[in-house]
Amino acid sequence: MYRSLTLDPEKCTGCLQCEMACSWEYEGHFNPAHSRIKIFAFHQEGRFVPYTCTQCADAWCKNACPVEAIQINAETGAKEVVENLCVGCKVCTIACPFGTVNYDHARGKVMKCDLCGGDPACARACPTGAITFVDGDWPGYEKMRQWAERTDNLASAQ
Amino acid sequence: MGWQKKVLRVDLTAGTCTAEPLNMEWADRYLGQRGLATKYFVEEVDPRVDPLSPENKLIFATGPLTGTPASTGARYSVITKGALTGAIACSNSGGYFGAELKFAGWDMIIFEGRAEQPVYLLVIDDEARLLPAGELWGKGTWETEKALHERHQEPQLRISSIGRAGENLVRYACVVNDLHRAAGRSGVGAVMGSKNLKAIAVHGTKGTQVADPERFFQVVGEKKRILAENAVTGQGLPTYGTQVLMNIINELGALPTRNARDVQFESADKVSGEAMHEPRGSEGKPNLVRNQACFGCTIACGRIARIDKQHYTVINKPEYWGASGGLEYENAWSMGPDCGVDDLDAMTYANFICNEHGIDPISFGATLAAAMELYEIGAITDEQTGGLPLRFGSAEALTTMVEAVANGEGFGKDLGLGSKLLCEKYGHPDLSMSVKGQEFPAYDPRGIQGMGLTYATSNRGACHLRSYTVSSEVLGIPEKTDPHTTEGKPALVKAFQDVTAAVDSSGLCLFSTFAWSLEDIQPQIDAACEGDWSLDKLMEMGERIWNLERRFNLAAGIDGSQDRLPKRLVSEPAPTGPAKGMVNRLDEMLPEYYSLRGWTPEGVPTPETLERLEL
């Protein structure tokens, strides 16, 4: 069973613990500028929205790569950048409709979320449950449960 | 590690930016932020300088835990000689700016001199330069942020700036970062304005590291769980923010009301944290939109609020319809009960203006409250106010005057002096509710005795954030003491002052101490920093910092004779509530406090004390 990251903007407080955890996982220091997950603040609406790669089944980035440097991890389903194949052409960054593939200038390679090999650091670091790592076939399970909880059994019985 | 070991020195007169290594010998004795920057400051600045002269310096300093995953590791402080007080000033802020400065590779920035024309500092990693800020001058902090993001096409810039109040040298102007976090008190924004420094914009891609990552992650994770499971930091603060206190302090009869003539506000429930959750009649939505965290904070006490579009303050101003930083307890108190105002949306509007134009809402509200009393006794008339009745309870007076202060117009100029100079000017110095020129915040020391000693002895003028004995006297943290007794309070105040000085030097937020003791914080510092950071060392360091600040003040001419409370608090008994009939008994506490500090009866550190603390 694959698992997937589920992002819930309602619960995000904008603390950026996820960005620190992500950069630590990849870079060995705390550095939001090198995080694969980003939190966007929409100040006027008082909203914070976590955003990262959704690991498309038919992945634009993978399809676009001319050197097959983006490959599927059979265990996690993540689309991973194989760094020794990546030539830094950045075609995948154009192909991704969501902008979640980006570029590390220092290394000359693209960077994207690879689910940390199956145990995403961002989800572990999130203090509010805004980022969770759930059954990949049931990304809507928690939302369904919340709506189910609101169902008024007494009213419907009348 | 923890530190970036690099200081940026900006000579505004010469227009130069120079990197220098952090003095690690001092870092080992003063840790960072408040302690370390104060050490730099007292070594470099003559205590007798005019705060608004080029000879004053202005330091933006982070701590070793700023920009790390330690919860609440967002903080930076602005250290200078305060424009409001003439005393050592150290104002602490959260948001994202402090962490970004660390990510760019710097522990602190020292500004000296004065720019000939308005400038801002742009820092992108190692590269720092001063750029002309001509067209930003006159703009608020919100517009300044927007303009700098657009100009540099860099959405990830974090910005700290002054608004019109700082430019106009309002004595209690603050520095605002990330739209609505502020280094609020003592007029650090006026010092920035006097230097013609409009803003600092930073983006960093270097990141931070800690000395012992494995131990750091283990201890930081464990301590985060304590915050999550604690009733105050896990539930009270995220839900109600610091505004959770409004009803509690009112019931205790310790809510200074109408310039502290009263100690209880009949409409406290209308301006409380609970009220911010209540749907408003006109549009069915509450004042509070949501809570927000500062960088790395797992408490998330910040208030994001929205003013009712139909409210008189914004009905023709759609630019204020969006969500922004809402009322915290101190602001809600100063612009609410202290002015007798109970209109939550008017207070929220005044708060927005304070954020937009860089005004400390505590000093503004308390100064307006003093003006209202002056008006009611006839010392100020319509002639001064331009025909606006400055009556207690008038929301219109509040929202008109906050704009007048920001713009430096009319009576706003007088209000911009702060309550001390205002009340002196109009012949009633006793009506200023201040110590060392700084207005005291939202706890009446007649009902919470320890806060009297806290205000009187605070090195930056009256302040709750130097020894928050409310924790013990009201909330029972770490243990409950009787708010009405003076017994044991000198030791309590001293202990809180020393611990707070240590926490303020680490990069962590003081609010973490609702759940964490120094025993919880010490291992986080120890794992992040090189060297041995024991509990004893931190406690001694806190005491050293306190004495260092005190010594600066003494040299600046602020001696023990200024460790006094406003006459009202020590001579006019609380008229209602549980503390009815009581005054603050500062005289019972002060001599014992001096003695515990190892100071002379005049409040001067003895040579033995200075030697013990290696000062």
Side-chain angles (χ1 to χ4, degrees), chain B residues 16-34:
Chain B
T16 56
C17 299
T18 320
E20 55 186 65
L22 186 70
N23 186 325
M24 290 309 293
E25 200 183 311
W26 290 352
D28 186 56
R29 293 160 54 74
Y30 294 95
L31 190 56
Q33 205 174 342
R34 175 173 164 188

Side-chain angles (χ1 to χ4, degrees), chain B residues 169-189:
Chain B
L169 307 182
V170 169
R171 297 270 176 162
Y172 45 84
C174 62
V175 175
V176 175
N177 58 282
D178 303 295
L179 302 176
H180 47 71
R181 308 311 306 179
R185 304 226 66 194
S186 313
V188 297

Side-chain angles (χ1 to χ4, degrees), chain A residues 90-105:
Chain A
K90 310 182 213 55
V91 169
C92 54
T93 69
I94 301 165
C96 173
F98 308 106
T100 59
V101 187
N102 287 285
Y103 183 65
D104 181 353
H105 186 80

Side-chain angles (χ1 to χ4, degrees), chain B residues 22 34 39 73 75 188 221 239 435-436 483 498 503 509 520 599:
Chain B
L22 186 70
R34 175 173 164 188
K39 175 65 178 169
R75 313 303 294 187
V188 297
T239 308
V435 178
K436 301 182 178 79
D498 293 348
V503 175
C509 177
D520 295 305
W599 295 354

